[in-house]
């Protein structure tokens, strides 16, 4: 088992007192900026684990970020968002933050119930991973906790969001198929379900328009119900190419 690095270890290596190391890591007065930088650099190099609880008591910051994932986007066939969550956790650790995962149940989303971590003041911000209802967006937006949307967006212009370029991705894919002599191209996705699916459909539709190909409604294939749950795909009688 690897040895846990302590403040005393850092102090011994640099040749200062443990108190000096403590002040430097807590950004307190009494230590020059040059020495603070040197101590922090060595702490990172040795893999020193900062005491988040102690920092939280001093600063009023929890050093936790809540990640909200709607229940409909989890399960046996929905590993994508859980994979994204793993990457978020690793990214947060770089900044000495921890993540708290909250699976938002359909009931809590419908009843507009915030996560318990909000009421317990255990998080400094929320990342909402996967589209939630407009009512829940409004609830989060009024919670006074910073939020960011990941993999969807909403008409709340004041909320930042990070998305794949779904529109041009689907547009480019459809163009590629047409250039390879495919005229019967289907689109799989319930277009009223998420902003991401809508953008993909619009990219697909733009490509068809530009090539004067009429949309065949039999080729617009639903893949989820009104609640966002995956449903078996019903293939058209005349299959696309």
């Amino acid at each position: 088992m690897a040895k846990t690095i302590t403040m005393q270890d850092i102090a011994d290596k640099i040749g200062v007192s443990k108190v000096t190391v403590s002040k430097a890591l807590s950004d307190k007065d009494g230590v020059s900026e040059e020495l603070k930088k040197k101590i922090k650099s060595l702490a990172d190099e040795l893999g020193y684990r900062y005491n988040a609880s102690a920092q939280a008591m001093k600063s009023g910051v929890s050093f936790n970020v809540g990640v909200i994932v709607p229940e409909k986007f989890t399960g046996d066939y929905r590993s994508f968002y859980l994979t994204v969550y793993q990457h978020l956790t690793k990214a947060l650790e770089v900044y000495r933050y921890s993540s708290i995962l909250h699976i938002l149940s359909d009931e809590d989303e419908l009843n507009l119930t915030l996560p318990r971590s909000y009421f317990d003041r255990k998080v400094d911000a929320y990342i909402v991973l996967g589209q939630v209802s407009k009512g829940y967006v409004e609830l989060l937006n009024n919670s006074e906790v910073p939020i960011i949307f990941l993999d969807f967006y909403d008409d709340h212009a004041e909320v930042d969001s990070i998305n794949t370029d779904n529109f041009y991705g689907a547009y480019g894919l459809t163009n590629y198929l047409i250039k390879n002599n495919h005229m019967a191209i289907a689109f799989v996705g319930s277009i009223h379900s998420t902003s991401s699916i809508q953008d993909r459909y619009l990219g697909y539709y733009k490509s068809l328009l530009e090539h004067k190909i009429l949309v065949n409604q039999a080729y617009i294939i639903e893949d989820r119900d009104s609640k966002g749950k995956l449903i078996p795909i019903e293939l058209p009688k005349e299959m696309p190419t």
Side-chain angles (χ1 to χ4, degrees), residues 145-174:
V145 175
I147 59 174
I148 188 167
F149 298 148
L150 187 54
D151 199 39
F152 83 101
Y153 60 88
D154 187 80
D155 56 7
H156 288 73
E158 70 276 17
V159 180
D160 290 326
S161 63
I162 300 174
N163 297 281
T164 304
D165 195 342
N166 290 289
F167 179 89
Y168 279 101
Y171 174 70
L173 285 170
T174 310

Side-chain angles (χ1 to χ4, degrees), residues 7-154:
M7 288 188 188
Q8 190 61 58
D9 294 326
I10 299 169
D12 291 343
K13 281 188 173 292
I14 293 181
V16 296
S17 69
K18 181 180 175 181
V19 173
T20 299
V21 172
S22 178
K23 286 182 177 181
L25 296 178
S26 301
D27 280 320
K28 289 186 175 180
D29 296 333
V31 183
S32 70
E33 289 302 318
E34 183 180 354
L35 184 54
K36 278 184 183 180
K37 187 175 180 180
K38 184 177 180 181
I39 290 171
K40 288 180 180 180
S41 177
L42 180 61
D44 290 338
E45 182 184 328
L46 295 176
Y48 174 73
R49 301 287 293 183
Y50 290 77
N51 188 330
S53 298
Q55 285 184 299
M57 289 178 66
K58 293 173 184 176
S59 64
V61 177
S62 71
F63 295 93
N64 292 319
V65 170
V67 180
I68 299 173
V69 182
E71 183 180 29
K72 58 180 172 281
F73 296 130
T74 61
D76 294 341
Y77 302 102
R78 297 297 185 95
S79 61
F80 170 69
Y81 281 154
L82 296 181
T83 300
V84 174
Y85 173 69
Q86 290 176 329
H87 287 282
L88 284 174
T89 298
K90 290 178 182 178
L92 287 167
E93 285 179 350
V94 174
Y95 298 95
R96 303 189 184 98
Y97 268 77
S98 297
S99 60
I100 297 178
L101 177 63
H102 176 76
I103 303 299
L104 177 64
S105 69
D106 296 338
E107 182 181 1
D108 282 350
E109 184 174 359
L110 178 64
N111 294 330
L112 303 180
T113 303
L114 286 166
R116 182 170 178 176
S117 56
Y118 169 77
F119 297 104
D120 291 346
R121 298 186 179 183
K122 287 185 175 180
V123 297
D124 301 323
Y126 281 111
I127 297 171
V128 186
L129 178 54
Q131 187 146 2
V132 294
S133 66
K134 286 189 175 292
Y136 207 83
V137 166
E138 194 68 37
L139 179 70
L140 288 168
N141 199 36
N142 292 330
S143 69
E144 299 183 353
V145 175
I147 59 174
I148 188 167
F149 298 148
L150 187 54
D151 199 39
F152 83 101
Y153 60 88
D154 187 80

